């Protein structure tokens, strides 16, 4: 059966029917999913009851998997990042971010599965950084050309939370050593489609390189606000066994933290990417 893509908003997202994450992925469906990611930037799938091993196997169709250096992972399967948030382990993804941009080679994408949800709330928003770029005026596009910005792991993983807790301190210290602040282009080009996308986010970007702090603060606050305008976003209200699969090169996301003291559990498999240009 051919896959069916149903658009969610004009800027971003589609719901996909006709695929079973627990089964083998045919090469035809794999190509269709990759094309869908390019076209819609995030794809959603419903009623996908999968084990962590099945999730890892599915994600591995799209590249090598990344193991998060700080955030909790399943001990028996570290390719699955475990987002198990509740009153004793607070959500911290309630800021707009692109995943792992503190790395010189941020992920190309990620696959997120909803395992346990609060009775209400716990939605996630995604924004299209290509739609945001396209909406900039030509003079501003030109002035962003050639600029780079610095991304820092401690911006989203502050030492006060991650470096103090004995459960995460060793991994935190190793990650800070392994990932010194890194510069990426402020506008990146998608390596396959050639689309241009704004590539700064509140989560990890500390400053634009080579300009004054005042200029950087003003430009970043404009870019952060512009790239998350509702017109460029979607908001997904999860059901258990929903899956989201996004292109991390051209999107950012925000997990709404409105459900405490209830608990919410998500599993993420993350696919290694290459150096932004
Ligand atoms: O929990 C979520 O909905 C998303 C969390 C997040 O930022 C991620 O999985 O990268
Ligand atoms: Fe994230």
């Amino acid at each position: 059966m051919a896959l069916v893509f149903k658009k969610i908003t004009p800027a971003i997202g589609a719901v996909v029917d006709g695929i079973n994450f627990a089964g083998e992925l045919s090469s035809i469906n794999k190509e269709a999913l990759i094309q869908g990611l390019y076209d819609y930037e995030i794809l959603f799938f419903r009623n996908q009851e999968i084990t962590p091993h099945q999730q890892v196997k599915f994600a591995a169709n799209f590249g090598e998997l990344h193991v998060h250096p700080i955030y909790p992972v399943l001990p028996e399967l570290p390719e699955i990042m475990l987002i198990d948030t509740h009153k004793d382990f607070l959500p911290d993804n309630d800021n707009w971010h692109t995943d792992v941009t503190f790395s010189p080679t941020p992920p190309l994408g990620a696959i997120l599965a909803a395992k346990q949800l609060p009775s209400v709330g716990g939605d996630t928003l995604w924004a299209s950084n290509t739609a945001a770029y396209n909406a900039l005026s030509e003079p501003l596009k030109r002035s962003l050309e050639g600029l780079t910005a610095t991304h820092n792991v401690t911006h989203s993983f502050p030492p006060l939370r991650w470096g103090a807790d004995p459960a995460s301190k060793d991994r935190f210290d190793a990650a800070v050593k392994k990932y010194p602040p890194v510069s990426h282009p402020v506008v990146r080009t998608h390596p396959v489609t050639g689309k241009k996308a704004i590539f700064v986010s509140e989560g990890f970007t500390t400053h634009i390189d080579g300009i004054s702090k005042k200029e950087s603060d003003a430009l970043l606050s404009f870019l952060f606000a512009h790239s998350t305008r509702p017109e460029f976003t979607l908001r997904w209200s999860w059901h258990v066994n929903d899956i989201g699969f996004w292109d991390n090169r051209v999107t950012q996301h925000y997990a709404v933290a409105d459900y405490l003291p209830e608990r919410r559990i998500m599993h993420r498999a993350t696919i290694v990417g290459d150096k932004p240009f």
Side-chain angles (χ1 to χ4, degrees), residues 33-67:
L33 285 185
I34 291 174
Q35 189 58 48
L37 267 190
Y38 297 156
D39 293 342
Y40 304 105
E41 304 182 353
I42 176 158
L43 305 175
F44 291 96
F45 309 83
R46 300 188 201 271
N47 302 312
Q48 303 288 339
E49 195 174 347
I50 49 163
T51 66
H53 277 100
Q54 286 169 329
Q55 186 174 351
V56 161
K57 187 174 167 216
F58 192 90
N61 284 300
F62 301 93
E64 188 193 334
L65 299 191
H66 171 264
V67 175

PDB file of all heavy atoms in Angstrom, residues 33-67:
ATOM      1  N   LEU A  33       9.486   7.958   2.860  1.00  0.00           N
ATOM      2  CA  LEU A  33       9.590   8.662   4.149  1.00  0.00           C
ATOM      3  C   LEU A  33      10.658   9.749   4.080  1.00  0.00           C
ATOM      4  O   LEU A  33      10.461  10.855   4.599  1.00  0.00           O
ATOM      5  CB  LEU A  33       9.933   7.682   5.274  1.00  0.00           C
ATOM      6  CG  LEU A  33       8.800   6.774   5.746  1.00  0.00           C
ATOM      7  CD1 LEU A  33       9.266   5.955   6.947  1.00  0.00           C
ATOM      8  CD2 LEU A  33       7.554   7.571   6.106  1.00  0.00           C
ATOM      9  N   ILE A  34      11.777   9.427   3.448  1.00  0.00           N
ATOM     10  CA  ILE A  34      12.836  10.438   3.345  1.00  0.00           C
ATOM     11  C   ILE A  34      12.328  11.639   2.538  1.00  0.00           C
ATOM     12  O   ILE A  34      12.505  12.789   2.931  1.00  0.00           O
ATOM     13  CB  ILE A  34      14.106   9.818   2.721  1.00  0.00           C
ATOM     14  CG1 ILE A  34      14.723   8.817   3.711  1.00  0.00           C
ATOM     15  CG2 ILE A  34      15.114  10.895   2.345  1.00  0.00           C
ATOM     16  CD1 ILE A  34      15.900   8.026   3.167  1.00  0.00           C
ATOM     17  N   GLN A  35      11.648  11.357   1.434  1.00  0.00           N
ATOM     18  CA  GLN A  35      11.087  12.459   0.638  1.00  0.00           C
ATOM     19  C   GLN A  35      10.057  13.243   1.462  1.00  0.00           C
ATOM     20  O   GLN A  35      10.012  14.480   1.408  1.00  0.00           O
ATOM     21  CB  GLN A  35      10.452  11.913  -0.655  1.00  0.00           C
ATOM     22  CG  GLN A  35      10.047  12.998  -1.634  1.00  0.00           C
ATOM     23  CD  GLN A  35      11.212  13.898  -2.049  1.00  0.00           C
ATOM     24  OE1 GLN A  35      12.283  13.402  -2.402  1.00  0.00           O
ATOM     25  NE2 GLN A  35      11.033  15.216  -1.982  1.00  0.00           N
ATOM     26  N   GLY A  36       9.256  12.511   2.249  1.00  0.00           N
ATOM     27  CA  GLY A  36       8.265  13.159   3.119  1.00  0.00           C
ATOM     28  C   GLY A  36       8.923  14.069   4.139  1.00  0.00           C
ATOM     29  O   GLY A  36       8.432  15.174   4.413  1.00  0.00           O
ATOM     30  N   LEU A  37      10.045  13.619   4.686  1.00  0.00           N
ATOM     31  CA  LEU A  37      10.776  14.471   5.648  1.00  0.00           C
ATOM     32  C   LEU A  37      11.242  15.756   4.975  1.00  0.00           C
ATOM     33  O   LEU A  37      11.183  16.830   5.574  1.00  0.00           O
ATOM     34  CB  LEU A  37      12.015  13.746   6.163  1.00  0.00           C
ATOM     35  CG  LEU A  37      11.964  12.923   7.428  1.00  0.00           C
ATOM     36  CD1 LEU A  37      13.385  12.537   7.827  1.00  0.00           C
ATOM     37  CD2 LEU A  37      11.281  13.655   8.574  1.00  0.00           C
ATOM     38  N   TYR A  38      11.724  15.637   3.737  1.00  0.00           N
ATOM     39  CA  TYR A  38      12.175  16.836   3.019  1.00  0.00           C
ATOM     40  C   TYR A  38      10.995  17.770   2.758  1.00  0.00           C
ATOM     41  O   TYR A  38      11.111  18.981   2.870  1.00  0.00           O
ATOM     42  CB  TYR A  38      12.817  16.465   1.681  1.00  0.00           C
ATOM     43  CG  TYR A  38      14.064  15.615   1.806  1.00  0.00           C
ATOM     44  CD1 TYR A  38      14.475  14.791   0.758  1.00  0.00           C
ATOM     45  CD2 TYR A  38      14.828  15.625   2.974  1.00  0.00           C
ATOM     46  CE1 TYR A  38      15.613  14.011   0.865  1.00  0.00           C
ATOM     47  CE2 TYR A  38      15.961  14.845   3.092  1.00  0.00           C
ATOM     48  CZ  TYR A  38      16.350  14.040   2.037  1.00  0.00           C
ATOM     49  OH  TYR A  38      17.464  13.267   2.142  1.00  0.00           O
ATOM     50  N   ASP A  39       9.854  17.189   2.396  1.00  0.00           N
ATOM     51  CA  ASP A  39       8.704  18.019   2.026  1.00  0.00           C
ATOM     52  C   ASP A  39       8.020  18.649   3.245  1.00  0.00           C
ATOM     53  O   ASP A  39       7.587  19.794   3.189  1.00  0.00           O
ATOM     54  CB  ASP A  39       7.670  17.184   1.267  1.00  0.00           C
ATOM     55  CG  ASP A  39       8.187  16.721  -0.086  1.00  0.00           C
ATOM     56  OD1 ASP A  39       9.181  17.308  -0.579  1.00  0.00           O
ATOM     57  OD2 ASP A  39       7.613  15.759  -0.647  1.00  0.00           O
ATOM     58  N   TYR A  40       7.863  17.859   4.316  1.00  0.00           N
ATOM     59  CA  TYR A  40       7.037  18.303   5.456  1.00  0.00           C
ATOM     60  C   TYR A  40       7.841  18.598   6.722  1.00  0.00           C
ATOM     61  O   TYR A  40       7.315  19.138   7.684  1.00  0.00           O
ATOM     62  CB  TYR A  40       5.972  17.251   5.769  1.00  0.00           C
ATOM     63  CG  TYR A  40       5.107  16.914   4.580  1.00  0.00           C
ATOM     64  CD1 TYR A  40       5.264  15.721   3.880  1.00  0.00           C
ATOM     65  CD2 TYR A  40       4.153  17.824   4.115  1.00  0.00           C
ATOM     66  CE1 TYR A  40       4.489  15.421   2.773  1.00  0.00           C
ATOM     67  CE2 TYR A  40       3.370  17.543   3.013  1.00  0.00           C
ATOM     68  CZ  TYR A  40       3.539  16.337   2.340  1.00  0.00           C
ATOM     69  OH  TYR A  40       2.776  16.047   1.241  1.00  0.00           O
ATOM     70  N   GLU A  41       9.067  18.125   6.789  1.00  0.00           N
ATOM     71  CA  GLU A  41      10.021  18.405   7.882  1.00  0.00           C
ATOM     72  C   GLU A  41       9.723  17.669   9.185  1.00  0.00           C
ATOM     73  O   GLU A  41      10.622  17.437   9.982  1.00  0.00           O
ATOM     74  CB  GLU A  41      10.191  19.918   8.086  1.00  0.00           C
ATOM     75  CG  GLU A  41      10.637  20.584   6.781  1.00  0.00           C
ATOM     76  CD  GLU A  41      10.897  22.066   6.851  1.00  0.00           C
ATOM     77  OE1 GLU A  41      10.634  22.698   7.883  1.00  0.00           O
ATOM     78  OE2 GLU A  41      11.370  22.620   5.824  1.00  0.00           O
ATOM     79  N   ILE A  42       8.445  17.357   9.451  1.00  0.00           N
ATOM     80  CA  ILE A  42       8.139  16.403  10.528  1.00  0.00           C
ATOM     81  C   ILE A  42       6.956  15.549  10.098  1.00  0.00           C
ATOM     82  O   ILE A  42       5.975  16.064   9.526  1.00  0.00           O
ATOM     83  CB  ILE A  42       7.878  17.067  11.898  1.00  0.00           C
ATOM     84  CG1 ILE A  42       7.470  15.985  12.910  1.00  0.00           C
ATOM     85  CG2 ILE A  42       6.858  18.178  11.857  1.00  0.00           C
ATOM     86  CD1 ILE A  42       7.664  16.337  14.351  1.00  0.00           C
ATOM     87  N   LEU A  43       7.077  14.259  10.377  1.00  0.00           N
ATOM     88  CA  LEU A  43       6.025  13.298  10.038  1.00  0.00           C
ATOM     89  C   LEU A  43       5.501  12.679  11.331  1.00  0.00           C
ATOM     90  O   LEU A  43       6.288  12.392  12.243  1.00  0.00           O
ATOM     91  CB  LEU A  43       6.595  12.183   9.149  1.00  0.00           C
ATOM     92  CG  LEU A  43       7.307  12.656   7.879  1.00  0.00           C
ATOM     93  CD1 LEU A  43       7.940  11.469   7.156  1.00  0.00           C
ATOM     94  CD2 LEU A  43       6.329  13.389   6.952  1.00  0.00           C
ATOM     95  N   PHE A  44       4.187  12.467  11.390  1.00  0.00           N
ATOM     96  CA  PHE A  44       3.584  11.802  12.550  1.00  0.00           C
ATOM     97  C   PHE A  44       2.906  10.511  12.114  1.00  0.00           C
ATOM     98  O   PHE A  44       2.327  10.437  11.022  1.00  0.00           O
ATOM     99  CB  PHE A  44       2.555  12.712  13.226  1.00  0.00           C
ATOM    100  CG  PHE A  44       3.175  13.899  13.904  1.00  0.00           C
ATOM    101  CD1 PHE A  44       3.239  15.122  13.256  1.00  0.00           C
ATOM    102  CD2 PHE A  44       3.709  13.788  15.182  1.00  0.00           C
ATOM    103  CE1 PHE A  44       3.824  16.223  13.868  1.00  0.00           C
ATOM    104  CE2 PHE A  44       4.299  14.883  15.791  1.00  0.00           C
ATOM    105  CZ  PHE A  44       4.350  16.099  15.141  1.00  0.00           C
ATOM    106  N   PHE A  45       2.963   9.531  13.001  1.00  0.00           N
ATOM    107  CA  PHE A  45       2.395   8.207  12.751  1.00  0.00           C
ATOM    108  C   PHE A  45       1.593   7.842  13.997  1.00  0.00           C
ATOM    109  O   PHE A  45       2.058   8.059  15.112  1.00  0.00           O
ATOM    110  CB  PHE A  45       3.529   7.194  12.564  1.00  0.00           C
ATOM    111  CG  PHE A  45       4.561   7.630  11.552  1.00  0.00           C
ATOM    112  CD1 PHE A  45       5.589   8.499  11.925  1.00  0.00           C
ATOM    113  CD2 PHE A  45       4.499   7.186  10.236  1.00  0.00           C
ATOM    114  CE1 PHE A  45       6.543   8.917  10.993  1.00  0.00           C
ATOM    115  CE2 PHE A  45       5.453   7.598   9.310  1.00  0.00           C
ATOM    116  CZ  PHE A  45       6.471   8.462   9.686  1.00  0.00           C
ATOM    117  N   ARG A  46       0.406   7.268  13.793  1.00  0.00           N
ATOM    118  CA  ARG A  46      -0.430   6.915  14.944  1.00  0.00           C
ATOM    119  C   ARG A  46      -0.462   5.400  15.151  1.00  0.00           C
ATOM    120  O   ARG A  46      -0.222   4.631  14.222  1.00  0.00           O
ATOM    121  CB  ARG A  46      -1.867   7.397  14.713  1.00  0.00           C
ATOM    122  CG  ARG A  46      -1.988   8.912  14.524  1.00  0.00           C
ATOM    123  CD  ARG A  46      -3.478   9.269  14.512  1.00  0.00           C
ATOM    124  NE  ARG A  46      -3.764  10.555  13.873  1.00  0.00           N
ATOM    125  CZ  ARG A  46      -3.783  11.713  14.529  1.00  0.00           C
ATOM    126  NH1 ARG A  46      -3.517  11.756  15.812  1.00  0.00           N
ATOM    127  NH2 ARG A  46      -4.082  12.827  13.876  1.00  0.00           N
ATOM    128  N   ASN A  47      -0.825   5.019  16.366  1.00  0.00           N
ATOM    129  CA  ASN A  47      -1.031   3.592  16.706  1.00  0.00           C
ATOM    130  C   ASN A  47       0.169   2.722  16.372  1.00  0.00           C
ATOM    131  O   ASN A  47       0.033   1.679  15.749  1.00  0.00           O
ATOM    132  CB  ASN A  47      -2.278   3.039  15.982  1.00  0.00           C
ATOM    133  CG  ASN A  47      -3.521   3.831  16.330  1.00  0.00           C
ATOM    134  OD1 ASN A  47      -3.773   4.092  17.511  1.00  0.00           O
ATOM    135  ND2 ASN A  47      -4.271   4.239  15.322  1.00  0.00           N
ATOM    136  N   GLN A  48       1.338   3.164  16.771  1.00  0.00           N
ATOM    137  CA  GLN A  48       2.562   2.389  16.530  1.00  0.00           C
ATOM    138  C   GLN A  48       3.054   1.859  17.869  1.00  0.00           C
ATOM    139  O   GLN A  48       3.814   2.523  18.569  1.00  0.00           O
ATOM    140  CB  GLN A  48       3.638   3.266  15.876  1.00  0.00           C
ATOM    141  CG  GLN A  48       3.211   3.923  14.582  1.00  0.00           C
ATOM    142  CD  GLN A  48       3.116   2.925  13.435  1.00  0.00           C
ATOM    143  OE1 GLN A  48       3.697   1.851  13.464  1.00  0.00           O
ATOM    144  NE2 GLN A  48       2.352   3.289  12.405  1.00  0.00           N
ATOM    145  N   GLU A  49       2.590   0.655  18.203  1.00  0.00           N
ATOM    146  CA  GLU A  49       3.028   0.085  19.470  1.00  0.00           C
ATOM    147  C   GLU A  49       4.350  -0.634  19.220  1.00  0.00           C
ATOM    148  O   GLU A  49       4.374  -1.691  18.598  1.00  0.00           O
ATOM    149  CB  GLU A  49       1.965  -0.887  19.988  1.00  0.00           C
ATOM    150  CG  GLU A  49       2.184  -1.229  21.429  1.00  0.00           C
ATOM    151  CD  GLU A  49       1.050  -2.070  22.001  1.00  0.00           C
ATOM    152  OE1 GLU A  49      -0.020  -2.177  21.361  1.00  0.00           O
ATOM    153  OE2 GLU A  49       1.262  -2.621  23.099  1.00  0.00           O
ATOM    154  N   ILE A  50       5.447  -0.037  19.673  1.00  0.00           N
ATOM    155  CA  ILE A  50       6.754  -0.626  19.379  1.00  0.00           C
ATOM    156  C   ILE A  50       7.596  -0.747  20.642  1.00  0.00           C
ATOM    157  O   ILE A  50       7.453   0.042  21.577  1.00  0.00           O
ATOM    158  CB  ILE A  50       7.560   0.206  18.344  1.00  0.00           C
ATOM    159  CG1 ILE A  50       7.574   1.694  18.730  1.00  0.00           C
ATOM    160  CG2 ILE A  50       7.056  -0.013  16.944  1.00  0.00           C
ATOM    161  CD1 ILE A  50       8.657   2.476  18.012  1.00  0.00           C
ATOM    162  N   THR A  51       8.480  -1.731  20.632  1.00  0.00           N
ATOM    163  CA  THR A  51       9.431  -1.880  21.732  1.00  0.00           C
ATOM    164  C   THR A  51      10.620  -0.942  21.464  1.00  0.00           C
ATOM    165  O   THR A  51      10.827  -0.507  20.319  1.00  0.00           O
ATOM    166  CB  THR A  51       9.969  -3.321  21.796  1.00  0.00           C
ATOM    167  OG1 THR A  51      10.734  -3.548  20.601  1.00  0.00           O
ATOM    168  CG2 THR A  51       8.836  -4.337  21.911  1.00  0.00           C
ATOM    169  N   PRO A  52      11.410  -0.669  22.498  1.00  0.00           N
ATOM    170  CA  PRO A  52      12.633   0.123  22.267  1.00  0.00           C
ATOM    171  C   PRO A  52      13.526  -0.495  21.186  1.00  0.00           C
ATOM    172  O   PRO A  52      14.091   0.228  20.355  1.00  0.00           O
ATOM    173  CB  PRO A  52      13.316   0.124  23.638  1.00  0.00           C
ATOM    174  CG  PRO A  52      12.178   0.006  24.609  1.00  0.00           C
ATOM    175  CD  PRO A  52      11.193  -0.917  23.946  1.00  0.00           C
ATOM    176  N   HIS A  53      13.647  -1.815  21.164  1.00  0.00           N
ATOM    177  CA  HIS A  53      14.488  -2.450  20.143  1.00  0.00           C
ATOM    178  C   HIS A  53      13.930  -2.217  18.740  1.00  0.00           C
ATOM    179  O   HIS A  53      14.679  -1.984  17.796  1.00  0.00           O
ATOM    180  CB  HIS A  53      14.644  -3.953  20.418  1.00  0.00           C
ATOM    181  CG  HIS A  53      15.719  -4.232  21.424  1.00  0.00           C
ATOM    182  ND1 HIS A  53      15.442  -4.494  22.755  1.00  0.00           N
ATOM    183  CD2 HIS A  53      17.072  -4.238  21.309  1.00  0.00           C
ATOM    184  CE1 HIS A  53      16.590  -4.661  23.403  1.00  0.00           C
ATOM    185  NE2 HIS A  53      17.582  -4.505  22.560  1.00  0.00           N
ATOM    186  N   GLN A  54      12.611  -2.297  18.608  1.00  0.00           N
ATOM    187  CA  GLN A  54      12.003  -2.033  17.294  1.00  0.00           C
ATOM    188  C   GLN A  54      12.224  -0.576  16.876  1.00  0.00           C
ATOM    189  O   GLN A  54      12.464  -0.289  15.703  1.00  0.00           O
ATOM    190  CB  GLN A  54      10.506  -2.370  17.327  1.00  0.00           C
ATOM    191  CG  GLN A  54      10.252  -3.867  17.338  1.00  0.00           C
ATOM    192  CD  GLN A  54       8.797  -4.208  17.637  1.00  0.00           C
ATOM    193  OE1 GLN A  54       8.101  -3.495  18.361  1.00  0.00           O
ATOM    194  NE2 GLN A  54       8.346  -5.323  17.067  1.00  0.00           N
ATOM    195  N   GLN A  55      12.157   0.329  17.846  1.00  0.00           N
ATOM    196  CA  GLN A  55      12.383   1.751  17.533  1.00  0.00           C
ATOM    197  C   GLN A  55      13.809   1.966  17.045  1.00  0.00           C
ATOM    198  O   GLN A  55      14.046   2.682  16.057  1.00  0.00           O
ATOM    199  CB  GLN A  55      12.093   2.613  18.767  1.00  0.00           C
ATOM    200  CG  GLN A  55      12.155   4.110  18.472  1.00  0.00           C
ATOM    201  CD  GLN A  55      11.717   4.963  19.656  1.00  0.00           C
ATOM    202  OE1 GLN A  55      11.197   4.449  20.654  1.00  0.00           O
ATOM    203  NE2 GLN A  55      11.928   6.262  19.557  1.00  0.00           N
ATOM    204  N   VAL A  56      14.771   1.341  17.729  1.00  0.00           N
ATOM    205  CA  VAL A  56      16.174   1.474  17.334  1.00  0.00           C
ATOM    206  C   VAL A  56      16.382   0.879  15.935  1.00  0.00           C
ATOM    207  O   VAL A  56      17.046   1.479  15.079  1.00  0.00           O
ATOM    208  CB  VAL A  56      17.091   0.785  18.382  1.00  0.00           C
ATOM    209  CG1 VAL A  56      18.470   0.499  17.818  1.00  0.00           C
ATOM    210  CG2 VAL A  56      17.195   1.664  19.619  1.00  0.00           C
ATOM    211  N   LYS A  57      15.774  -0.281  15.696  1.00  0.00           N
ATOM    212  CA  LYS A  57      15.942  -0.937  14.396  1.00  0.00           C
ATOM    213  C   LYS A  57      15.352  -0.061  13.281  1.00  0.00           C
ATOM    214  O   LYS A  57      15.954   0.115  12.218  1.00  0.00           O
ATOM    215  CB  LYS A  57      15.239  -2.306  14.440  1.00  0.00           C
ATOM    216  CG  LYS A  57      15.496  -3.130  13.225  1.00  0.00           C
ATOM    217  CD  LYS A  57      14.914  -4.522  13.356  1.00  0.00           C
ATOM    218  CE  LYS A  57      14.940  -5.157  11.970  1.00  0.00           C
ATOM    219  NZ  LYS A  57      13.796  -6.006  11.724  1.00  0.00           N
ATOM    220  N   PHE A  58      14.190   0.521  13.541  1.00  0.00           N
ATOM    221  CA  PHE A  58      13.555   1.369  12.536  1.00  0.00           C
ATOM    222  C   PHE A  58      14.420   2.602  12.250  1.00  0.00           C
ATOM    223  O   PHE A  58      14.705   2.946  11.100  1.00  0.00           O
ATOM    224  CB  PHE A  58      12.155   1.797  12.995  1.00  0.00           C
ATOM    225  CG  PHE A  58      11.352   2.429  11.910  1.00  0.00           C
ATOM    226  CD1 PHE A  58      10.543   1.674  11.085  1.00  0.00           C
ATOM    227  CD2 PHE A  58      11.431   3.810  11.692  1.00  0.00           C
ATOM    228  CE1 PHE A  58       9.825   2.267  10.056  1.00  0.00           C
ATOM    229  CE2 PHE A  58      10.716   4.405  10.662  1.00  0.00           C
ATOM    230  CZ  PHE A  58       9.905   3.628   9.849  1.00  0.00           C
ATOM    231  N   ALA A  59      14.878   3.237  13.333  1.00  0.00           N
ATOM    232  CA  ALA A  59      15.665   4.468  13.170  1.00  0.00           C
ATOM    233  C   ALA A  59      16.977   4.186  12.432  1.00  0.00           C
ATOM    234  O   ALA A  59      17.455   5.021  11.650  1.00  0.00           O
ATOM    235  CB  ALA A  59      15.944   5.093  14.540  1.00  0.00           C
ATOM    236  N   ALA A  60      17.549   2.996  12.672  1.00  0.00           N
ATOM    237  CA  ALA A  60      18.847   2.666  12.066  1.00  0.00           C
ATOM    238  C   ALA A  60      18.758   2.547  10.540  1.00  0.00           C
ATOM    239  O   ALA A  60      19.785   2.545   9.856  1.00  0.00           O
ATOM    240  CB  ALA A  60      19.396   1.379  12.670  1.00  0.00           C
ATOM    241  N   ASN A  61      17.534   2.466   9.994  1.00  0.00           N
ATOM    242  CA  ASN A  61      17.375   2.513   8.531  1.00  0.00           C
ATOM    243  C   ASN A  61      17.874   3.830   7.945  1.00  0.00           C
ATOM    244  O   ASN A  61      18.159   3.918   6.754  1.00  0.00           O
ATOM    245  CB  ASN A  61      15.896   2.381   8.146  1.00  0.00           C
ATOM    246  CG  ASN A  61      15.380   0.965   8.268  1.00  0.00           C
ATOM    247  OD1 ASN A  61      15.898   0.069   7.606  1.00  0.00           O
ATOM    248  ND2 ASN A  61      14.382   0.766   9.114  1.00  0.00           N
ATOM    249  N   PHE A  62      17.933   4.872   8.795  1.00  0.00           N
ATOM    250  CA  PHE A  62      18.215   6.215   8.279  1.00  0.00           C
ATOM    251  C   PHE A  62      19.617   6.706   8.631  1.00  0.00           C
ATOM    252  O   PHE A  62      19.971   7.834   8.300  1.00  0.00           O
ATOM    253  CB  PHE A  62      17.147   7.189   8.800  1.00  0.00           C
ATOM    254  CG  PHE A  62      15.772   6.767   8.380  1.00  0.00           C
ATOM    255  CD1 PHE A  62      14.980   5.968   9.203  1.00  0.00           C
ATOM    256  CD2 PHE A  62      15.290   7.103   7.120  1.00  0.00           C
ATOM    257  CE1 PHE A  62      13.731   5.535   8.796  1.00  0.00           C
ATOM    258  CE2 PHE A  62      14.038   6.677   6.700  1.00  0.00           C
ATOM    259  CZ  PHE A  62      13.258   5.883   7.539  1.00  0.00           C
ATOM    260  N   GLY A  63      20.396   5.864   9.307  1.00  0.00           N
ATOM    261  CA  GLY A  63      21.777   6.247   9.614  1.00  0.00           C
ATOM    262  C   GLY A  63      22.218   5.707  10.959  1.00  0.00           C
ATOM    263  O   GLY A  63      21.453   5.035  11.666  1.00  0.00           O
ATOM    264  N   GLU A  64      23.440   6.062  11.291  1.00  0.00           N
ATOM    265  CA  GLU A  64      24.019   5.653  12.573  1.00  0.00           C
ATOM    266  C   GLU A  64      23.260   6.356  13.704  1.00  0.00           C
ATOM    267  O   GLU A  64      22.837   7.505  13.539  1.00  0.00           O
ATOM    268  CB  GLU A  64      25.490   6.100  12.550  1.00  0.00           C
ATOM    269  CG  GLU A  64      26.332   5.620  13.704  1.00  0.00           C
ATOM    270  CD  GLU A  64      27.661   6.391  13.741  1.00  0.00           C
ATOM    271  OE1 GLU A  64      28.099   6.866  12.666  1.00  0.00           O
ATOM    272  OE2 GLU A  64      28.218   6.526  14.834  1.00  0.00           O
ATOM    273  N   LEU A  65      23.111   5.690  14.835  1.00  0.00           N
ATOM    274  CA  LEU A  65      22.361   6.303  15.936  1.00  0.00           C
ATOM    275  C   LEU A  65      23.293   6.987  16.939  1.00  0.00           C
ATOM    276  O   LEU A  65      24.421   6.563  17.157  1.00  0.00           O
ATOM    277  CB  LEU A  65      21.473   5.265  16.629  1.00  0.00           C
ATOM    278  CG  LEU A  65      20.419   4.639  15.713  1.00  0.00           C
ATOM    279  CD1 LEU A  65      19.424   3.826  16.520  1.00  0.00           C
ATOM    280  CD2 LEU A  65      19.685   5.692  14.881  1.00  0.00           C
ATOM    281  N   HIS A  66      22.759   8.039  17.514  1.00  0.00           N
ATOM    282  CA  HIS A  66      23.506   8.886  18.437  1.00  0.00           C
ATOM    283  C   HIS A  66      23.101   8.513  19.865  1.00  0.00           C
ATOM    284  O   HIS A  66      21.928   8.262  20.132  1.00  0.00           O
ATOM    285  CB  HIS A  66      23.137  10.343  18.123  1.00  0.00           C
ATOM    286  CG  HIS A  66      23.644  11.352  19.086  1.00  0.00           C
ATOM    287  ND1 HIS A  66      22.884  11.842  20.134  1.00  0.00           N
ATOM    288  CD2 HIS A  66      24.838  11.970  19.176  1.00  0.00           C
ATOM    289  CE1 HIS A  66      23.589  12.732  20.803  1.00  0.00           C
ATOM    290  NE2 HIS A  66      24.772  12.824  20.248  1.00  0.00           N
ATOM    291  N   VAL A  67      24.069   8.494  20.764  1.00  0.00           N
ATOM    292  CA  VAL A  67      23.775   8.254  22.181  1.00  0.00           C
ATOM    293  C   VAL A  67      23.956   9.580  22.914  1.00  0.00           C
ATOM    294  O   VAL A  67      25.029  10.191  22.836  1.00  0.00           O
ATOM    295  CB  VAL A  67      24.708   7.180  22.770  1.00  0.00           C
ATOM    296  CG1 VAL A  67      24.478   7.025  24.270  1.00  0.00           C
ATOM    297  CG2 VAL A  67      24.489   5.846  22.055  1.00  0.00           C
TER     298      VAL A  67
END
